Amino acid sequence: MFKIRRSSLALLAAGVLMIALAGVLRFVAVPVLTKLPGDTDTVAHYEGTATLLNSAALKSGDTAHALMSNVPITVDRHIYVSSTSGDTAVVHDEAVINGPNGLTINQKHVYALDRVTLLEAPAPDGAEVESHTGVTVALAMDPPADDSQSYWDSGTQAAVPLRYKGSDSVHGRDVQRYEASAQGALKNSMTLSTLPAQLPKALVEQLLPSLPAGSQDALRTALPTLPDLVPLAYSASNALNVAVDSALGLPITAAQQQKVVAGVEADGKRIDLLPVMALDIKTTDASADTSADKARSAGEKLNLLADYIPLAALILGVVVIVIGIVRRRPASAA
């Protein structure tokens, strides 16, 4: 009767288990690890200049000091996940603009994102999130080298094309570059709540000397038809240039120019008065270094679990099975 050594059976069983482990790691564990983690909590830092509205000066009629122009600012952007439900994460995007003399301006957004695509997802029960479409805080893994994606502009509350601008290397990481541009009526309720909804006509008239010639002429003509309290209409523009990690989709550097301009409507035409907020910022070198280091560490861990360990387990499993087959028969009796 043909007999197989017990040790060979053990080796065969161990080899099969190692091959199965390789499959579990590659096709079960890795997809779980590529989801947005529930403990995501990152801070990015920016620096640049800004033109900001001095509301107190404007209200007092001091139009000469109504704007703080080209002042240095820093921006701290905090992105974190507060909860998850299956494949959906509730993601907070909070920015603090730090200006002169202790001035701070807060911008807060909450999104429900698919943990794999990082695009919009149905909100979990009880979660209050902003409706949106397109990319918000980051791109998904292996971002496409094309123009197939859109970017959500929170100022105009609209999705605009996210245009691919080629590959590059930034802070030691391979990146994909994208650009987006948005322009339209300001619809961000948080920003609107910080701005005056109307101004006395007398105060609007005092702004005339500070306006471009075209706006001066249009406003001077329109003034007699304007009410005593002139409603203001705000427009917003946003230009973004971002470099994201080619493997993980995480932003490494970004440059952004945002502007909000106050205007009035007269005879169906808009007359721009003055910019009430204009930001020109970019990622600090230190923050970019930190983001690149995090991407490098996360990429190495993912490669280890996705490729190296499964491959090692597969090879070892095959070797163990071969050894088990080769020595499957007991040695012949002398």
Side-chain angles (χ1 to χ4, degrees), residues 281-298:
I281 58 174
K282 65 178 182 178
T283 310
T284 66
D285 285 340
S287 186
D289 278 337
T290 298
S291 297
D293 288 342
K294 288 181 178 179
R296 186 177 298 108
S297 177

Side-chain angles (χ1 to χ4, degrees), residues 44-315:
H45 302 285
Y46 304 80
E47 61 186 2
T49 59
T51 294
L52 302 171
L53 179 67
N54 186 338
S55 297
L58 184 62
K59 289 178 181 178
S60 68
D62 184 8
T63 56
H65 298 93
L67 289 178
M68 296 180 287
S69 300
N70 296 318
V71 296
I73 61 166
T74 61
V75 180
D76 304 316
R77 187 184 184 191
H78 184 199
I79 297 171
Y80 63 95
V81 173
S82 61
S83 64
T84 60
S85 177
D87 288 336
T88 301
V90 176
V91 180
H92 298 249
D93 184 2
E94 301 179 354
V96 179
I97 302 170
N98 306 291
N101 303 318
L103 173 68
T104 59
I105 300 173
N106 295 295
Q107 297 179 342
K108 297 182 179 182
H109 305 282
V110 185
Y111 304 109
L113 301 184
D114 184 286
R115 295 174 67 188
V116 177
T117 67
L118 299 188
L119 297 177
E120 65 277 3
D125 291 342
E128 295 186 4
V129 302
E130 298 179 31
S131 176
H132 78 285
T133 56
V135 172
T136 53
V137 298
L139 277 69
M141 295 186 66
D142 299 318
D146 56 36
D147 299 340
S148 62
Q149 300 182 97
S150 61
Y151 166 75
W152 176 251
D153 178 63
S154 61
T156 59
Q157 297 284 288
V160 297
L162 187 63
R163 305 202 180 278
Y164 178 67
K165 292 299 178 180
S167 59
D168 201 350
S169 179
V170 175
H171 290 266
R173 294 294 295 178
D174 291 334
V175 298
Q176 307 279 43
R177 289 194 176 277
Y178 299 88
E179 290 182 359
S181 179
Q183 189 167 357
L186 177 65
K187 297 180 180 179
N188 185 303
S189 58
M190 177 170 284
T191 303
L192 284 169
S193 69
T194 66
L195 300 172
Q198 56 191 14
L199 288 177
K201 183 195 290 191
L203 187 53
V204 172
E205 189 172 3
Q206 291 180 41
L207 294 172
L208 274 170
S210 63
L211 301 182
S215 293
Q216 284 189 34
D217 294 341
L219 183 59
R220 192 173 285 111
T221 301
L223 273 172
T225 67
L226 296 178
D228 290 338
L229 287 177
V230 181
L232 297 181
Y234 294 95
S235 63
S237 62
N238 183 17
L240 173 70
N241 183 313
V242 62
V244 304
D245 191 86
S246 294
L248 303 179
L250 301 175
I252 305 298
T253 65
Q256 192 166 23
Q257 295 82 41
Q258 292 179 304
K259 182 181 287 187
V260 175
V261 178
V264 297
E265 298 285 345
D267 295 328
K269 296 181 180 179
R270 175 185 170 86
I271 304 171
D272 286 340
L273 297 180
L274 74 169
V276 295
M277 184 180 74
L279 306 181
D280 188 351
I281 58 174
K282 65 178 182 178
T283 310
T284 66
D285 285 340
S287 186
D289 278 337
T290 298
S291 297
D293 288 342
K294 288 181 178 179
R296 186 177 298 108
S297 177
E300 290 173 350
K301 291 177 182 178
L302 187 60
N303 286 337
L304 186 66
L305 291 171
D307 298 322
Y308 300 128
I309 292 179
L311 181 61
L314 177 63
I315 293 173

